[in-house]
Amino acid sequence: MTARKRLIISIACAVLAALAMLAYASSVRASEKAARDDALARYGGEQVEVYVAAHDLAAGETIDASDVKRMPWLVDLLPADCIPSNEDIAGSVVGSTILANEPVSRQRLGSAGTDVSVPPGLCAVSVPMQDVQAVGGAVRSGSLVNLYADTGSGVGLLGENLLVLATNGGAMGASGSRSALSWVTLAVTPDSVQELLAASQSGTLFLTLPDNQSPNAPQPSQGAASTGEGSAG
């Protein structure tokens, strides 16, 4: 092959490569434009006013007016399913932690407006809880559980046969996958609330399922054991 033919082939390859790059870049720009146009169509402008967290919101918290604020946000930078400020989200339950000034999206919320029936003499408390801390996510609303706290210096029993009033875990999505657990709401005695909240802040909580999950199971415990009882360390 002569040097002239090699030069022609090299130029032709370079031209084809350049055309391929131009086609790819054009495809990427078209995709970005389509996504941007869709966002603009949904929100109606270059900026939109959305709800953002006024402070860190933990899983299980119920949102009220003081927990969020309205803030203009660039459409291109908005997360999926963010909530515009003309919607009322008071009473919604936080499904996973929302950091201060983070736009509030529906993906971050749990079951909003769900009625919780609290047994007489008890009160409802929501605490953060992941699958690994709750028997692999097997805990469901209506379960009776034992509650332990690991504060670093030992594991203590906080309560036995506590009723699970609500949880965001276990729901099946369209793809057939189960949603991960991020919080549970328990029925506890009023005098144990402070101890439970302090334990959730200073350590890690764990739930176990005792061998009484049947129609004839004992009623939910009317008291909570102190962290000193049942200590494993």
Side-chain angles (χ1 to χ4, degrees):
M1 182 180 294
T2 65
R4 179 182 177 82
K5 288 183 177 180
R6 286 198 297 269
L7 178 60
I8 292 173
I9 292 174
S10 298
I11 293 174
C13 290
V15 170
L16 289 175
L19 291 175
M21 289 296 296
L22 288 174
Y24 175 74
S26 177
S27 174
V28 171
R29 285 195 296 269
S31 177
E32 291 177 346
K33 184 177 184 302
R36 179 180 175 83
D37 289 345
D38 178 65
L40 291 174
R42 283 186 288 118
Y43 294 109
E46 296 290 330
Q47 287 189 342
V48 62
E49 193 174 69
V50 297
Y51 283 118
V52 301
H55 52 84
D56 290 353
L57 299 174
E61 289 190 45
T62 300
I63 295 176
D64 62 29
S66 64
D67 293 324
V68 294
K69 57 185 178 182
R70 295 175 172 86
M71 182 177 291
W73 207 271
L74 290 175
V75 170
D76 289 350
L77 301 180
L78 283 172
D81 296 327
C82 65
I83 301 177
S85 61
N86 60 353
E87 290 190 19
D88 184 11
I89 62 172
S92 298
V93 177
V94 179
S96 59
T97 300
I98 306 174
L99 299 179
N101 296 317
E102 177 185 345
V104 179
S105 67
R106 291 181 176 83
Q107 295 178 349
R108 295 286 196 179
L109 300 181
S111 301
T114 300
D115 291 332
V116 175
S117 179
V118 184
L122 302 179
C123 58
V125 177
S126 295
V127 292
M129 187 72 59
Q130 298 180 0
D131 281 351
V132 70
Q133 301 162 236
V135 200
V139 172
R140 299 286 184 271
S141 176
S143 296
L144 295 178
V145 298
N146 293 340
L147 176 65
Y148 294 83
D150 181 0
T151 60
S153 58
V155 178
L157 177 65
L158 291 183
E160 296 179 278
N161 293 324
L162 302 178
L163 177 64
V164 177
L165 298 176
T167 174
N168 72 317
M172 299 299 291
S175 63
S177 60
R178 185 184 61 81
S179 60
L181 192 69
S182 61
W183 57 266
V184 298
T185 300
L186 301 171
V188 300
T189 56
D191 59 1
S192 65
V193 171
Q194 185 174 354
E195 180 184 21
L196 175 55
L197 293 179
S200 69
Q201 292 294 319
S202 62
T204 303
L205 300 178
F206 293 89
L207 299 178
T208 65
L209 288 171
D211 187 21
N212 57 11
Q213 303 297 296
S214 68
N216 297 319
Q219 292 299 310
S221 173
Q222 295 298 306
S226 68
T227 53
E229 296 179 15
S231 177

